[in-house]
Amino acid sequence: MTPPPRANPSTLLARSVLDDLVAAGITEVVLAPGSRNAPLAFAAWDAARDGRIRLHTRLDERTAGFLALGMAKVGAPAAVMCTSGTAVANLHPAVLEAAHAGVSLVVVTADRPASVRGTGASQTTDQVRIFGEAASFVDLAGPDDLDAAREALGELRSAAGPRASRHGGRPVHLNVQFTPPLVPDAPWHRTAPDDPSSADASTRPKPDRPDPETLPLGPRTVVVAGDDAGPPARVLAENADWPLLAEPSSGSRNGTHALRCYRLLLDGELGGRIERVVVAGHPTLSRPVTRLLEREDVEVVSVQARGWWAERPFPVDREVAALITPGKDDPAWLEEWRAADARVSRDLDRLLAEQPGPTPYDVARAVSAAVPPSGLLLIGASSPIRDLDLMARPYTVGERRRIVANRGLAGIDGTISTAIGAALARPHGERNLVLMGDVTFLHDANALVIGPDEARPDLTIVVVNDDGGSIFAMLEQGDDRFADRYDKLFGTPHGVDVASLCAATRTPHWKVGSLPELEQALASPNGGIEVVEVACRRDNRRALDERIRALR
């Protein structure tokens, strides 16, 4: 019997890389087309044809990187592949976000042979450790380097999930050198089965569960839950009867102890009486929280954070892996916070009801209320997540809502792509929403360029359009002293017709001008990807914010 023809070296290397990705548990592969990465493209196509992975193609590498990141954020192990040169640099924002947020991600880049590095060869630059310390790196020139790649990918499997441990699980960068021919000259005859542990989660290593340390009762304590703090922060607050100050994407903002208007209360009399803070996750939203954590008269107990730079930027008196308390504290402290939160919430709702037209705060409240049990809400950076932080009432425990955001570096990069990736990785038929501002939408509008044969999730994109960057109006830059230059430097009005932009990609668009219209749009999704645009004022944002901050 004549043996099957042997494939060329580049094809063999690419197929080995795909085998190793599948063995490491990768189920989703996002491809940005190119010539030098053609061996990877053909190998990925074969793997998808055989049902070993799901393959997604995107025209733009930055979009591709954030699409893969979105999938990884909700638990679908993902890899992104691209060609050489500037294509690799376009993956850097997604790699940095993954590294700082502690999200496992695999980046596979094609490269020219090492022999042409340092020359003027087309599309050739120094891709060696191009992401610095943000990713573990393996340079693959041939089969002899595959063991190093498998070792790096093994870090992802040992993380046992989409979230990396504090001291490991950085993104993995495999830089693969290919020489022509770059197309297959023989079919892929696979003889070895996939690693069975990639298909059977029960055989994978379980994450370590550290023994909790006991924190005594006594000092007036609050629990601050930043991004990705998770349910343990809520459980600790409930077990000890402490107020829970939880950001929307903390995974802790539910139950009976989470407070809606904590940000306003921190600048009042109650905030001044805090003696101890337990901080979990990555708090990034609120200057009052930052000031609290930096106070010299407050003891700070830190639950170890995830991510590349996990050290706290403020003094910490004690750091632990997990906490328990010996019982419940004096309930009077919690009841004071609850009463104050109810009072300020009523005052805030009354103030907003007096405003003409829908405000960004109204939009945030409506979107939060529209997330059903088992639904997903991804929140854009800048104003929307801060608006939601004031408006979102705690959800009921156990209803499995996923509220996520890119808070590793808190940039506006790739927000639509991240949301599409997260929605694609979730079960079909579940509700998915994303809330963002107009600048964030424009920054990633090319994420709506999706090929006709690509999977499209059900996703409602809610865009708060105030024609520019309103976040700066609430900061020092928005002071009246700088009014003559504010729009040029920070407000950046753009005048873009969002409906026409959506029409260019055949994305359904609905522009609403009132809160009832918004609620109707949210209650009646069309299916697929759709954009709901809400026009809001920006000229009164600073004055409204000052009135809100005065509520304590």
Side-chain angles (χ1 to χ4, degrees), residues 181-265:
L182 302 175
V183 296
D185 50 9
W188 192 353
H189 295 286
R190 295 184 63 251
T191 57
D194 294 334
D195 185 338
S197 64
S198 66
D200 183 2
S202 65
T203 66
R204 294 185 188 180
K206 302 298 183 183
D208 293 333
R209 298 190 180 279
D211 294 331
E213 299 182 30
T214 300
L215 186 65
L217 306 174
R220 289 189 290 268
T221 303
V222 297
V223 178
V224 169
D227 180 69
D228 199 34
R234 172 188 60 81
V235 172
L236 176 70
E238 291 179 350
N239 287 344
D241 259 352
W242 289 331
L244 175 59
L245 320 183
E247 295 182 2
S249 62
S250 64
S252 314
R253 193 171 173 133
N254 45 27
T256 56
H257 288 51
L259 303 173
R260 170 187 167 189
C261 293
Y262 68 89
R263 187 166 96 205
L264 304 177
L265 296 174

Side-chain angles (χ1 to χ4, degrees), residues 501-524:
L501 190 61
C502 291
T505 57
R506 299 181 178 86
T507 304
H509 170 271
W510 187 349
K511 187 172 184 177
V512 301
S514 68
L515 192 56
E517 280 186 288
L518 173 60
E519 292 170 343
Q520 181 183 357
L522 295 174
S524 308

Side-chain angles (χ1 to χ4, degrees), residues 104-302:
S104 297
L105 184 68
V106 179
V107 176
V108 187
T109 60
D111 201 356
R112 265 62 175 171
S115 60
V116 299
R117 292 174 184 165
T119 74
S122 179
Q123 290 188 344
T124 302
T125 188
D126 187 0
Q127 296 176 197
V128 175
R129 301 193 182 281
I130 193 171
F131 305 124
E133 294 301 314
S136 57
F137 176 79
V138 180
D139 207 9
L140 283 83
D144 292 343
D145 301 315
L146 287 170
D147 284 344
R150 290 167 187 145
E151 182 179 353
L153 291 170
E155 296 178 10
L156 299 182
R157 288 182 57 184
S158 65
R163 297 297 183 185
S165 68
R166 183 186 183 213
H167 300 292
R170 288 177 302 167
V172 173
H173 177 199
L174 307 181
N175 188 61
V176 193
Q177 302 173 37
F178 291 122
T179 55
L182 302 175
V183 296
D185 50 9
W188 192 353
H189 295 286
R190 295 184 63 251
T191 57
D194 294 334
D195 185 338
S197 64
S198 66
D200 183 2
S202 65
T203 66
R204 294 185 188 180
K206 302 298 183 183
D208 293 333
R209 298 190 180 279
D211 294 331
E213 299 182 30
T214 300
L215 186 65
L217 306 174
R220 289 189 290 268
T221 303
V222 297
V223 178
V224 169
D227 180 69
D228 199 34
R234 172 188 60 81
V235 172
L236 176 70
E238 291 179 350
N239 287 344
D241 259 352
W242 289 331
L244 175 59
L245 320 183
E247 295 182 2
S249 62
S250 64
S252 314
R253 193 171 173 133
N254 45 27
T256 56
H257 288 51
L259 303 173
R260 170 187 167 189
C261 293
Y262 68 89
R263 187 166 96 205
L264 304 177
L265 296 174
L266 283 176
D267 281 337
E269 184 269 340
L270 265 180
R273 291 164 54 201
I274 295 172
E275 297 174 333
R276 182 173 63 186
V277 178
V278 177
V279 59
H282 185 43
T284 60
L285 293 185
S286 167
R287 288 189 178 185
V289 168
T290 300
R291 290 193 291 267
L292 170 66
L293 294 170
E294 293 175 346
R295 273 172 45 186
E296 294 182 358
D297 62 333
V298 171
E299 177 189 359
V300 176
V301 180
S302 170

Side-chain angles (χ1 to χ4, degrees), residues 416 436-442 445 448 461-468 494-512 530-535:
I416 302 175
M436 67 184 69
D438 52 303
V439 176
T440 298
F441 178 81
L442 296 176
L448 300 177
I461 302 171
V462 180
V463 181
V464 181
N465 189 354
D466 55 11
D467 193 27
H494 49 77
V496 171
D497 183 347
V498 173
S500 297
L501 190 61
C502 291
T505 57
R506 299 181 178 86
T507 304
H509 170 271
W510 187 349
K511 187 172 184 177
V512 301
E530 61 178 352
V531 173
V532 177
E533 177 190 1
V534 190

Side-chain angles (χ1 to χ4, degrees), residues 358-375:
T359 69
Y361 297 101
D362 296 319
V363 178
R365 174 167 46 196
V367 171
S368 176
V371 183
S374 299

Side-chain angles (χ1 to χ4, degrees), residues 303-317:
V303 179
Q304 291 175 351
R306 297 187 178 102
W308 177 30
W309 285 358
E311 300 301 322
R312 300 294 190 187
F314 43 81
V316 171
D317 297 283

